[in-house]
Amino acid sequence: MALYSETVMDHFQHPRNVGEMEDADGIGEVGNAVCGDIMRMYIKVDNGIITDVKFKTFGCGSAIASSSMATEMIKGKPIEEALELSNKAVAQALDGLPAHKLHCSVLAEEAVRAAVKDYYDKNHIAYDPAMFGCDSCAHEHDHAPDGE
Ligand code: FES
């Protein structure tokens, strides 16, 4: 059996929504201290709907595929739905990731959440800080690859 699904390979080789966004309403940048990969996610929000998403990922193929898939999953969705995007949902949509690569999909979930948090902060929208964990954790998460 191939290590990576066809969907992973497709999103790695033809990533969707790559790039930067000059007029982004929210930008989230996260990194994994263990592997050193960095992901930046840009969102454009109109009336509570994510109308556009872009990402830049300095990282492994699974991180690129995960960010690409995450952008597709939140584009056109209400911002609250983007907050519910889990790394499991991203990995499932990719038809699975090897166990030692699941942390790459965690990075995508975190980047989306960080972008939403940035949007809330910039627009002075009140939220429960518990939704995002502590501030410093949002930037330098140390996700040891787990076997889940
Ligand atoms: Fe760290 Fe993929 S190896 S994000």
Side-chain angles (χ1 to χ4, degrees), residues 29-104:
E29 182 172 305
V30 293
N32 182 303
V34 177
C35 65
D37 289 0
I38 296 168
M39 195 179 285
R40 190 180 296 162
M41 194 75 69
Y42 304 83
I43 55 171
K44 188 99 199 116
V45 182
D46 191 14
N47 268 330
I49 304 289
I50 297 176
T51 53
D52 200 10
V53 193
K54 289 266 183 287
F55 81 89
K56 275 202 119 176
T57 292
F58 179 79
C60 73
S62 299
I64 290 167
S66 294
S67 11
S68 169
M69 181 56 86
T71 60
E72 292 269 276
M73 292 172 84
I74 64 168
K75 203 170 181 176
K77 298 276 168 58
I79 201 147
E80 296 78 22
E81 265 182 51
L83 269 182
E84 283 167 17
L85 181 78
S86 69
N87 76 297
K88 278 204 173 104
V90 173
Q92 260 168 23
L94 287 170
D95 295 324
L97 282 170
H100 68 288
K101 287 288 178 181
L102 280 174
H103 77 277
C104 316

Side-chain angles (χ1 to χ4, degrees), residues 97-145:
L97 282 170
H100 68 288
K101 287 288 178 181
L102 280 174
H103 77 277
C104 316
S105 60
V106 171
L107 217 50
E109 175 192 322
E110 287 181 350
V112 168
R113 295 173 73 79
V116 170
K117 182 176 183 297
D118 184 49
Y119 166 74
Y120 282 165
D121 286 340
K122 282 184 175 142
N123 289 279
H124 309 291
I125 297 171
Y127 57 83
D128 178 359
M131 288 191 325
F132 298 100
C134 77
D135 216 2
S136 54
C137 316
H139 296 281
E140 279 297 326
H141 260 185
D142 183 4
H143 284 290

